[in-house]
Amino acid sequence: MVGGELGFLASWRLPDAFTTRQIDNVFDWMRTRAIERVPALARSFFVPGKPPKDVAYRAASEPTKIGLSVLACDEIRTWMWLAAQKGHVEAIQQMVVITQACALSKEFAEQRLTLDNLSSEWMETLGRLTDSGQGTKSMADKHSSTLAPVVDDAEELEEIGFGTTVITKIGDQDSREGGEISKRYRALIGRKLPFLGELPEPRRIGDAIRQRWPWAEMAAERIENRFAVLRAAEGDRPITLSPMLFVGPPGSGKSTLARFVCEATGLPTTVLPLGGVADGAGISAVTRSWATTRPSAIVLGMHEHNCANPAFVLEEIDKTSRSTSANGSAADALLQLIGSGTYHDLCLMAPVDISNVTYVATANDLRTVQPALRDRFSLIQVPAPRSQDFEILLDNAREDFMISRGIRPSRMPHLTSKDLHALRSWFASNRSARSFADAYETLVSAAIAEFENAAPEPGMLPH
């Protein structure tokens, strides 16, 4: 197990077999981190003598009480993982859903197999609980002969003010399969889910787009107009954007812009990569006749984020393949969801209210998007960067590199005039924001490696 912030917050998605001591170390680190953020928690939330599994579950379920934003996903998932490792039944059910949902997300594309395997392990743990009728084991102790006691979480769910019930009840809930599914997704069933997000101030979204994507001026105006309509509405209404399809050449920044529009409003956002997807299995529900049964990606997103109005970025819908599979094509699956008020989920065997879900899709070429699917979206053009956008792209690439690699500004090398000339020459014939970022990373990585190989005195990187 890797220590430090990145290592501890990745614990929930690691395939390692954790010892009890390692799990306790993660718990201690997370508790210290929370108390440093909100010192009063040492006397109120983290009360000595309270079972760690209950503390961890409450931290994951009520993140705002420990000073966390609902968008601090990795930290929330790690708290839930801790509760599950300590034997909290509801937390184990949640980990099944979390790992299933993340396995479908582009963010964890390289870990899809690992997450699928982890989901199966958590499901096996739940199966042992159901079969024994006694309790469950934490994954750290799954080879032990001692079963942890069943936890009956007596805390009532907080009353939700502004929200809606998306699933009233599931079908065939008295069967064994129905009972297991009902327990696993009980946070959704017959319970009001909150509406999340906050409308930005006038022009804030448009100005932010113009600053980072100055070549997308028309897109900024059309997106800002949509928020103006939401602000003009009377009464309390959830933040829900009508479906948008960003169309433009590869590397124009469509995907990052789509994520920005969703996340800037505080909507929990899931990215679903659809390029090359042959069928709808990753989007649609998996029926109960399969051992891998699960709800649709939309329901999983609602469950993971505890939210009735999540957002989904659908990448490269023009590259979904036509399929003869029994699951249907990805485009067919999307047609059932986008623009629909309700969706019948085959795993839950019940209608789900998806009227408040936001969809933002991207495509390079409209000609390969099915006409029926294309008509579900408003089209917004995102052109390629222009020659005058070079400095903006350079600033964006530098900032993104520092954030993604965890490098302080003082440790970043400055590119030489020769490097900048080469980058300008390359950009003149390749107007792609993504390729620009790749070229910048190549140059900066070479500069960092050159500095490291020179073995100077400890200190700053050269400026």
Side-chain angles (χ1 to χ4, degrees):
M1 188 183 86
V2 181
E5 178 172 346
L6 294 179
F8 284 131
L9 293 182
S11 299
W12 67 272
R13 52 187 165 90
L14 295 179
D16 307 4
F18 287 80
T19 66
T20 301
R21 182 173 181 179
Q22 287 175 325
I23 294 167
D24 289 342
N25 287 342
V26 177
F27 181 88
D28 291 342
W29 183 85
M30 293 283 286
R31 178 177 56 193
T32 300
R33 179 182 173 90
I35 291 173
E36 287 175 350
R37 189 166 53 240
V38 184
L41 292 173
R43 299 185 303 274
S44 58
F45 199 94
F46 298 101
V47 180
K50 188 168 185 179
K53 59 188 173 186
D54 294 341
V55 173
Y57 185 72
R58 187 182 177 200
S61 304
E62 306 172 59
T64 56
K65 290 193 174 180
I66 59 171
L68 280 179
S69 161
V70 293
L71 298 180
C73 296
D74 260 353
E75 196 155 347
I76 295 171
R77 291 166 184 151
T78 303
W79 277 118
M80 190 65 74
W81 173 85
L82 283 167
Q85 288 284 10
K86 292 290 185 180
H88 197 293
V89 176
E90 286 81 1
I92 295 172
Q93 294 169 346
Q94 293 288 331
M95 287 308 302
V96 172
V97 178
I98 288 171
T99 47
Q100 286 178 341
C102 290
L104 298 175
S105 170
K106 182 184 179 182
E107 182 182 357
F108 302 105
E110 295 181 358
Q111 293 182 276
R112 184 160 298 164
L113 180 59
T114 297
L115 289 166
D116 280 338
N117 290 338
L118 285 173
S119 179
S120 296
E121 289 188 35
W122 286 118
M123 289 180 72
E124 288 175 10
T125 303
L126 279 176
R128 288 194 295 271
L129 165 64
T130 304
D131 293 340
S132 68
Q134 300 175 33
T136 187
K137 303 175 186 179
S138 72
M139 288 180 70
D141 301 321
K142 64 183 178 181
H143 299 298
S144 167
S145 60
T146 304
L147 287 172
V150 177
V151 177
D152 182 12
D153 192 1
E155 291 187 18
E156 292 295 325
L157 294 169
E158 246 182 73
E159 182 66 26
I160 303 298
F162 188 38
T164 190
T165 301
V166 297
I167 304 169
T168 304
K169 63 179 181 179
I170 68 169
D172 195 22
Q173 61 185 359
D174 294 329
S175 68
R176 176 175 175 176
E177 285 182 327
E180 290 176 354
I181 290 170
S182 182
K183 288 179 182 178
R184 193 180 309 161
Y185 301 103
R186 72 170 196 162
L188 288 178
I189 303 166
R191 173 181 171 246
K192 184 185 287 188
L193 293 183
F195 290 129
L196 300 182
E198 183 176 348
L199 276 176
E201 295 296 321
R203 300 191 60 81
R204 177 172 172 266
I205 291 287
D207 289 347
I209 294 173
R210 293 181 184 93
Q211 181 176 351
R212 185 174 176 89
W213 297 273
W215 58 90
E217 167 65 33
M218 293 302 296
E221 182 177 344
R222 292 194 61 188
I223 293 167
E224 180 59 48
N225 289 346
R226 287 172 176 267
F227 283 103
V229 172
L230 291 179
R231 285 189 290 266
E234 295 182 358
D236 288 337
R237 297 176 65 86
I239 297 176
T240 306
L241 294 167
S242 57
M244 293 180 284
L245 173 55
F246 293 172
V247 184
S252 56
K254 302 182 296 296
S255 293
T256 52
L257 177 58
R259 289 196 296 272
F260 170 79
V261 170
C262 298
E263 293 172 352
T265 60
L267 294 179
T269 303
T270 300
V271 179
L272 296 177
L274 302 178
V277 173
D279 61 30
I283 302 168
S284 302
V286 178
T287 64
R288 295 186 191 180
S289 59
W290 294 90
T292 55
T293 183
R294 60 159 179 75
S296 69
I298 306 306
V299 174
L300 288 174
M302 289 177 166
H303 190 277
E304 181 189 1
H305 298 297
N306 188 40
C307 165
N309 62 327
F312 291 85
V313 174
L314 311 172
E315 288 194 331
E316 299 184 318
I317 66 168
D318 54 326
K319 296 180 182 177
T320 58
S321 307
R322 291 190 177 275
S323 174
T324 57
S325 164
N327 296 317
S329 69
D332 292 337
L334 291 173
L335 282 170
Q336 297 178 49
L337 299 169
I338 299 171
S340 302
T342 58
Y343 160 76
H344 188 82
D345 191 279
L346 294 178
C347 169
L348 302 176
M349 296 173 61
V352 182
D353 180 359
I354 57 172
S355 60
N356 297 296
V357 175
T358 290
Y359 305 95
V360 183
T362 70
N364 296 334
D365 188 349
L366 278 179
R367 292 173 297 180
T368 55
V369 180
Q370 289 189 27
L373 182 59
R374 184 175 60 214
D375 290 345
R376 300 291 174 95
F377 294 92
S378 294
L379 306 183
I380 296 180
Q381 295 290 333
V382 182
R386 307 157 299 182
S387 58
Q388 61 264 40
D389 298 319
F390 178 86
E391 295 296 336
I392 294 291
L393 285 170
L394 187 62
D395 289 343
N396 291 347
R398 176 182 170 85
E399 179 182 354
D400 291 345
F401 184 85
M402 286 190 297
I403 292 173
S404 64
R405 301 299 187 277
I407 300 175
R408 299 191 305 273
S410 61
R411 301 285 296 173
M412 283 288 290
H414 287 303
L415 298 181
T416 65
S417 57
K418 181 180 178 180
D419 290 335
L420 289 174
H421 177 73
L423 201 54
R424 283 183 184 277
S425 299
W426 176 87
F427 180 60
S429 59
N430 191 336
R431 298 290 171 78
S432 164
R434 181 170 55 247
S435 297
F436 186 97
D438 291 341
Y440 175 84
E441 180 175 346
T442 298
L443 290 172
V444 171
S445 298
I448 292 174
E450 181 180 355
F451 169 75
E452 183 179 64
N453 292 334
E457 293 293 324
M460 303 293 186
L461 284 168
H463 283 62

